[in-house]
Amino acid sequence: MNKIFIAIVLLTFSSVSLAEHHALSLDARQSRSELSITSIALGQQSTVITAETQMGQYGRVYMTFVMAYNTTRDGGTYTFEGRGFADESTVFGGTGVGIWHRDGALVHMEQLVNISDGTQNFDRLVMDGLNRTMTIDVFAVK
């Protein structure tokens, strides 16, 4: 039930940001990062994607996405876990939920993430399966 609620909230964020009279303005927390996909495990019920990057204030970041399919298998919901190693004594943890859809060879993903330091992010990702890369744009919610 929580996943459905979060998916509705994400869809609302997307719709509201496009309406001129209800413009939603989010500030970028950092510049765009490019991730390397390290593995993709395909399954009947879900796909698990892992990726890593060097990412702004979070340092060396490792991410795992567990993606569930919709009935047409061209979109769905997913959960997210991430760890960022900023230095020898600073580690960030992040957990979130999102929605995804496939457009040709690209997979578009939007997620809300809670970070262990109390911040919250809205992220937009684009996965390019042909090149084993993803881009991520991170926006500050809190």
Side-chain angles (χ1 to χ4, degrees):
M1 187 65 172
N2 280 344
K3 289 182 185 177
I4 293 171
F5 174 73
I6 296 299
I8 292 169
V9 169
L10 285 172
L11 287 173
T12 302
F13 268 74
S14 299
S15 299
V16 170
S17 67
L18 296 176
E20 285 185 33
H21 63 285
H22 294 291
L24 176 64
S25 176
L26 295 173
D27 294 325
R29 188 169 303 276
Q30 61 186 37
S31 60
R32 175 175 285 176
S33 296
E34 186 166 314
L35 295 85
S36 297
I37 297 172
T38 56
S39 72
I40 298 176
L42 302 171
Q44 288 288 0
Q45 303 300 318
S46 63
T47 292
V48 178
I49 299 170
T50 59
E52 67 177 80
T53 189
Q54 188 68 34
M55 192 167 134
Q57 71 189 52
Y58 302 115
R60 171 58 60 188
V61 175
Y62 301 92
M63 301 178 183
T64 300
F65 307 89
V66 180
M67 303 172 75
Y69 309 114
N70 62 16
T71 56
T72 57
R73 301 179 71 82
D74 62 356
T77 60
Y78 67 93
T79 58
F80 162 83
E81 286 292 328
R83 299 294 175 273
F85 297 85
D87 57 44
E88 293 80 19
S89 60
T90 308
V91 177
F92 295 95
T95 186
V97 295
I99 56 173
W100 68 275
H101 73 277
R102 186 176 45 79
D103 181 17
L106 300 178
V107 175
H108 297 268
M109 305 161 64
E110 295 179 323
Q111 63 188 20
L112 285 175
V113 181
N114 283 315
I115 309 294
S116 58
D117 65 355
T119 60
Q120 297 173 345
N121 294 335
F122 172 70
D123 301 343
R124 287 195 164 167
L125 300 100
V126 177
M127 183 182 97
D128 179 350
L130 289 173
N131 294 302
R132 298 182 58 98
T133 61
M134 299 174 84
T135 58
I136 183 170
D137 294 303
V138 179
F139 301 93
V141 174
K142 176 183 170 192

